[in-house]
Structure formats: structure tokens, C-alpha cells
């Protein structure tokens, strides 16, 4: 009797224990699912502020120029989000730094985010060993005077464009400007409504201020591509003083289309030297050379400079510069003078001249000089490295001599000349879309024989490269040479 009574009393307890066990396992299962399988969704939930609070709870490392000028830093807010990113120069360095916001990071802020935030293992180890918990400092290769000269030069045109300057010997990028630019400080607010309004305005702006035209857009190179065609011609045995056929007009093979020189002008009485045709930027002899050399030789030479490559980052990824394939003879002729489907980034324009300046050795372009901790310890440093062997040393010297004539009296690039300095160059006026003004294009370097700076410039709808882009190049080069 007593045993039966006990069983009747224990039965509900057993049921309750079973229910509790089921609930416990359900709870553990739910917790496991959330932590293992659903964590990413919760982290990305806009209502979850914990990742943002953690992200802005510690001081990010600074981004500084090579002379120590601060272009990105942090400032305490006294609010929920402890640190706010600040860009003292506003739009001047925006194409380089990008920005850090609630939405994420762009530019170098994204490319170097782990060292700037302190999550890179090299920085974390120092923190564990008793060092500062702040992120590391990223030191750029940018020259402040060259950057400002490029920015002011582009702004004075009133047109969109980009300019890049490189040290030919090391590959260090001395200036990278895209115009129009934007103020990255508008992205650092923690007010969601203000941030959304600013982002919507900038994204909808037809001038595309958020676009880094220096590395994210490519353009028809126009006559600046004659550096490539000239290099291929020299490699094939044509000397700078060799006479070339330069009629007033050339009928493109297989068509009735006549290609003429700029403004319909003649070129050295129809039989100039290769150097003279280059100096005065004649179209007809280079179109004929393109057909003679063939598209494969031109493509091989272009790819030696880095065209058609997808492996370039500075450390932000760079759009491809393109030399097309599968062309007919007419298209090959047009490609030899920088038209048809040729495309080039402003960075590649600077790289072309940098390779010629450096005896044919093209150094890998880079923006980051070093990464260092607060105590001065350098944990990362960019060593100069060859990116491509663009052409032989002797061929580069002969091409440099031809380029140096462009800035002398009678050349198309006299507006880039600097008194007392030998400046090598090639100008271009590149056809744009139908009904739009031509782009002004320029590539060049200085001084010849002892190069310190190579530049590449595009001014969208700027017209003549010799009149519009060359003065900007001169200002940049002078800023570096000072």
C-alpha cells in the first residue's frame, strides 16, 4: 500500500523532471545554434550595437605622410562610441585614406584595417607583452607638396580627372589624386540619419566624388600610347633617327576611313625621323608602324608594362589597363595611336614613364612605406621590388631621348618644361564617347638621366593634353624636385 502511494507521488515528479530535462536540452540546443550557426546574422543585425561599440572602443592607429603629417587619426567622443575617426585635410587625401564609418571602411582604412585596429597578430603580440593596446601607425609614401600640387592643378581645370606621381627608382607613390573628391569626415558621424543623408547625396552625385579615378577607372590613352608603340618599334630594330613614312592621311586597311594627323597637319614633309614623328605626335607613321609590327608585338610590349594584368594592388586593387585582342588591321592601326579599345588607368600612365626612366625596370608601385608601433618599432616595411621588365636598358635610353624632345621647342609638351631640368614626356588627346570632348592625357618623368618623379594625368573632357594636362604635370614635378 505504502509503495503504491509512493509511486503515485513520484510519478508527477518524474514527469516534471523529464519536462525540465527536455527544456534544458532545448535551451542548450538553442544557445548552441545561436553561438555557432546564427552568430553571423546577429552580428550583422543593424539593431545589434555591440560590434560597433567594440570596434570604436579603442584608438585606431594613425595614417601619416612620409614627413609625419597626420592625415587620419582618432578623437575621443565621450559617448557610447568612444573614438571617432578624423581626417584633418578633408578631401585632399580621401582617394588614398578612404574612410572608416558605421558602414565599414574604404581605401587604405580597409586595406590596412587589421594593423590600424590592432587586430593584426604582430600588433596583438606587442599588446599582450605589455605594449599599448592602440593600433599601429601606417606611414605613407605620399609627398604632401606633390599631392597638393596635383589636387590644385586638377581643381583649376574645373573638370573631373586624376593624377599620379611615382618615384621611378623605388615605385613609391608620391601623389594620388582624384577630382572631384569628398570630405571623409561626413562619414564618421554616429548619427544614423545624418550618415544616411550624406551617403545618399554622395552616391547620387553625377560627378562621382567617391570614385578613385586614379586606380578605379581606365581611359583611352590617346597618343600617350605611342610610348608603347615606340618601344615596340625600337625593340624591332627601328632607330630614333630612322626615317618613317608619314603621309598626310592613311587609309585604314579594309575600310574607306582616312586617319589623319592632328588638325590635318603634315609631318616632316612626309618622311620624318621616328624621333620627330614622336616629338610632334604624328598619327600616320605610328598607325603604319602598328600595322607593320602587328597586334601581337604591340600586345607583348603593352603587357610588359603591365597591361591586361590583374595582379596589381597598391594595396587597394587597381583596375586593369587593357590592350585588346582579336583585332583586324584597321583596329590594330588605331590601337597603335591609343584609340580603338585601348584603356589605361592614370596609375598606369605614370608607370609607363617610370619604367622608361628606370632603364626599363618597372618597380611595383606602393602607397605604404612602413607600419610602426607607438614605441617606434617597425613591424612592416615595403622593400622596393621589380614588377615587370618592360624593355631593355638600351631601348629605354633611346626611348627616353625621344621623350625628352617632346618638351623642347616644337614638341607637344612644352608646357611641362622646367627651366634647368630635362623633362621627358608624351602628351595625348584621347577621343571619348561620341559627342563628348576629348580627354587630356599626359605621361612623363624628370630629370632625364637621374629620375626622381614620373607622372600620369587624365583630365576628362579636357581636350589637349599638351595644353591642359602638361601644366599640371609640371607643377607636380616641380613640387617633388624642390
Amino acid at each position: 500500500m505504502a509503495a503504491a502511494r509512493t509511486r503515485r507521488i513520484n510519478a508527477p515528479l518524474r514527469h516534471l523532471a523529464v519536462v525540465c530535462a527536455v527544456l534544458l536540452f532545448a535551451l542548450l540546443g538553442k544557445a548552441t545554434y545561436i553561438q555557432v550557426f546564427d552568430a553571423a546574422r546577429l552580428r550583422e543585425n543593424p539593431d545589434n550595437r555591440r560590434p560597433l561599440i567594440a570596434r570604436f572602443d579603442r584608438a585606431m592607429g594613425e595614417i601619416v605622410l612620409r614627413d609625419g603629417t597626420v592625415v587620419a587619426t582618432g578623437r575621443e567622443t565621450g559617448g557610447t562610441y568612444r573614438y571617432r575617426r578624423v581626417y584633418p585635410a578633408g578631401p585632399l587625401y580621401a582617394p588614398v585614406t578612404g574612410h572608416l564609418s558605421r558602414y565599414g571602411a574604404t581605401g587604405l582604412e580597409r586595406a590596412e584595417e587589421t594593423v590600424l585596429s590592432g587586430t593584426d597578430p604582430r600588433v596583438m603580440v606587442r599588446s599582450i607583452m605589455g605594449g599599448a593596446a592602440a593600433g599601429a601607425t601606417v606611414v605613407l609614401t605620399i609627398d604632401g607638396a606633390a599631392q597638393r600640387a596635383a589636387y590644385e592643378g586638377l581643381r583649376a581645370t574645373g573638370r573631373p580627372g586624376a593624377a599620379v606621381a611615382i618615384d621611378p627608382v623605388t615605385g613609391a607613390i608620391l601623389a594620388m589624386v582624384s577630382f572631384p573628391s569628398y570630405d571623409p569626415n561626413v562619414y564618421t558621424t554616429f548619427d544614423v540619419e545624418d550618415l544616411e543623408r550624406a551617403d545618399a547625396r554622395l552616391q547620387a552625385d553625377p560627378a562621382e566624388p567617391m570614385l578613385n579615378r586614379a586606380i578605379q577607372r581606365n581611359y583611352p590613352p590617346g597618343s600617350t600610347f605611342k610610348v608603347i608603340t615606340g618601344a615596340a618599334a625600337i625593340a624591332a630594330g627601328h632607330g630614333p633617327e630612322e626615317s618613317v613614312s608619314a603621309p598626310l592621311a592613311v587609309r585604314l586597311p579594309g575600310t574607306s576611313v582616312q586617319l589623319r594627323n592632328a588638325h590635318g597637319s603634315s609631318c616632316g614633309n612626309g618622311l620624318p625621323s621616328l624621333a620627330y614623328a614622336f616629338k610632334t605626335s604624328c598619327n600616320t607613321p605610328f598607325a603604319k608602324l602598328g600595322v607593320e609590327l602587328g597586334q601581337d608585338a604591340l600586345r607583348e610590349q603593352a603587357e610588359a608594362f603591365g597591361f591586361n594584368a590583374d595582379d596589381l594592388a597598391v594595396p587597394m586593387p587597381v583596375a586593369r589597363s587593357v590592350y585588346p585582342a582579336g583585332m583586324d588591321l584597321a583596329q590594330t592601326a588605331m590601337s597603335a595611336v591609343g584609340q580603338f579599345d585601348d584603356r589605361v588607368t592614370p596609375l598606369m600612365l605614370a608607370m609607363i614613364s617610370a619604367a622608361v626612366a628606370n632603364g626599363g625596370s618597372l618597380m611595383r608601385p606602393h602607397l605604404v612605406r612602413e607600419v610602426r608601433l607607438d614605441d617606434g618599432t617597425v613591424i612592416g616595411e615595403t622593400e622596393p621590388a621589380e614588377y615587370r621588365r618592360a624593355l631593355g636598358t638600351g631601348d629605354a635610353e633611346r626611348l627616353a631621348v625621344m621623350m625628352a624632345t617632346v618638351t623642347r621647342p616644337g614638341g607637344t609638351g612644352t608646357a611641362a618644361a622646367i627651366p634647368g631640368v630635362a623633362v621627358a614626356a608624351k602628351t595625348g588627346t584621347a577621343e571619348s564617347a561620341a559627342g563628348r570632348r576629348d580627354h587630356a592625357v599626359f605621361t612623363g618623368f624628370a630629370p632625364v638621366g637621374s629620375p626622381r618623379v614620373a607622372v600620369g594625368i587624365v583630365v576628362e573632357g579636357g581636350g589637349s593634353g599638351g595644353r591642359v594636362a602638361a601644366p599640371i604635370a609640371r607643377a607636380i614635378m616641380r613640387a617633388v624636385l624642390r
Side-chain angles (χ1 to χ4, degrees):
M1 222 27 208
R5 190 180 303 113
T6 300
R7 284 195 297 272
R8 286 197 300 274
I9 293 172
N10 289 341
L13 294 176
R14 286 196 299 271
H15 294 155
L16 180 61
V18 169
V19 170
C20 288
V22 170
L23 291 175
L24 178 60
F25 280 113
L27 182 62
L28 290 173
K30 182 64 173 177
T32 300
Y33 176 81
I34 289 173
Q35 293 179 16
V36 177
F37 300 105
D38 209 28
R41 182 184 65 82
L42 290 173
R43 278 196 305 270
E44 294 168 3
N45 189 321
D47 294 326
N48 180 14
R49 296 197 301 164
R50 295 181 110 186
L52 276 173
I53 292 173
R55 184 177 199 175
F56 294 102
D57 190 52
R58 60 189 298 177
M60 294 279 288
E62 293 183 328
I63 302 177
V64 304
L65 303 186
R66 62 183 189 173
D67 66 357
T69 301
V70 176
V71 295
T73 187
R75 181 178 297 163
E76 287 202 60
T77 66
T80 303
Y81 305 104
R82 187 177 175 189
Y83 288 95
R84 174 177 177 265
R85 208 65 167 144
V86 176
Y87 303 92
L92 180 58
Y93 297 99
V96 177
T97 63
H99 62 260
L100 174 65
S101 75
R102 289 177 60 107
Y103 289 170
T106 65
L108 270 175
E109 291 278 23
R110 179 176 182 178
E112 299 292 331
E113 186 170 13
T114 58
V115 293
L116 289 168
S117 67
T119 58
D120 184 283
R122 295 169 296 174
V123 184
M124 293 179 69
V125 165
R126 300 286 299 194
S127 178
I128 293 171
M129 294 172 61
T137 295
V138 172
V139 182
L140 304 180
T141 58
I142 294 292
D143 179 298
Q147 184 83 0
R148 187 166 293 280
Y151 185 82
E152 295 298 339
L154 287 168
R155 185 166 67 172
T157 70
R159 308 195 67 85
V164 178
I166 299 175
D167 181 336
V169 178
T170 66
I173 296 175
L174 306 176
M176 179 184 286
V177 172
S178 179
F179 186 84
S181 186
Y182 73 102
D183 185 354
N185 291 298
V186 303
Y187 274 94
T188 63
T189 178
F190 294 116
D191 185 301
V192 175
E193 291 185 357
D194 285 350
L195 180 57
E196 288 179 347
R197 278 195 296 269
D199 183 59
R201 174 177 56 81
L202 287 168
Q203 297 291 351
D205 191 333
E208 299 179 282
M210 303 286 291
L211 175 68
N212 186 346
R213 289 171 164 84
I215 59 174
Q216 293 176 344
R217 173 167 288 176
N218 55 31
Y219 301 86
S223 289
T224 60
F225 193 82
K226 291 170 184 172
V227 177
I228 307 293
T229 305
I234 290 172
H238 293 280
E241 298 308 317
E242 178 182 321
S243 296
V244 291
S245 173
L248 282 172
V250 169
R251 185 175 63 82
L252 298 179
T255 77
S256 59
V257 177
Q258 297 282 332
L259 174 67
R260 300 180 183 277
N261 299 317
H263 313 298
S265 62
S266 62
C267 183
N269 297 319
L271 202 64
S273 67
L274 178 61
Y276 181 87
F278 188 91
K279 174 182 180 178
T280 55
S281 201
C282 302
N283 287 329
T284 59
F286 279 90
K288 288 171 69 66
L289 276 171
V291 174
E292 175 193 324
L293 295 166
Q295 62 173 297
D296 291 341
L298 291 176
R299 186 178 306 104
E300 181 179 349
Q301 183 63 76
E303 290 179 349
F305 280 90
F307 281 68
N308 298 334
D310 291 315
D311 61 348
L312 191 58
V314 294
M316 299 94 80
V318 178
R320 280 201 318 156
S321 294
V322 178
Y323 185 78
M327 296 180 288
D328 59 27
L329 291 177
Q331 293 164 342
T332 299
M334 291 299 292
S335 76
V337 295
Q339 296 298 159
F340 184 53
D341 286 342
D342 296 6
R343 293 294 182 271
V344 65
T345 62
L347 173 64
M348 177 57 71
L349 284 169
M351 290 166 61
I352 290 170
S353 280
V356 178
N358 199 39
S361 175
L362 175 58
M363 305 302 286
R364 182 176 288 275
H366 58 277
L367 274 167
V368 176
R369 182 175 180 175
E370 65 183 29
V371 177
R372 64 171 182 240
L373 303 179
D374 284 349
D375 62 5
T377 302
V378 176
I379 61 172
E381 189 173 7
T382 303
E383 295 290 341
E386 188 176 70
Y387 176 59
R388 291 280 195 282
R389 186 70 201 178
L391 64 168
T393 302
D395 291 350
E397 291 172 352
R398 284 184 280 276
L399 193 54
V401 169
M402 285 171 50
M403 292 178 69
T405 66
V406 173
T407 60
R408 295 172 188 160
T412 61
T414 54
I418 301 173
V421 178
V423 178
K426 186 69 197 77
T427 62
T429 303
E431 292 182 7
S432 185
R436 296 186 179 180
R437 291 185 62 187
D438 296 339
H439 299 322
V441 191
F442 183 95
T443 182
F445 69 91
V448 176
S450 182
R452 288 177 54 195
V453 56
V455 296
I457 298 168
V458 174
V459 179
E460 295 180 18
S464 167
R467 287 195 299 270
V468 177
I472 302 172
R474 178 181 58 197
I476 296 170
M477 291 187 285
R478 291 183 70 174
V480 174
L481 297 177
R482 289 196 189 103

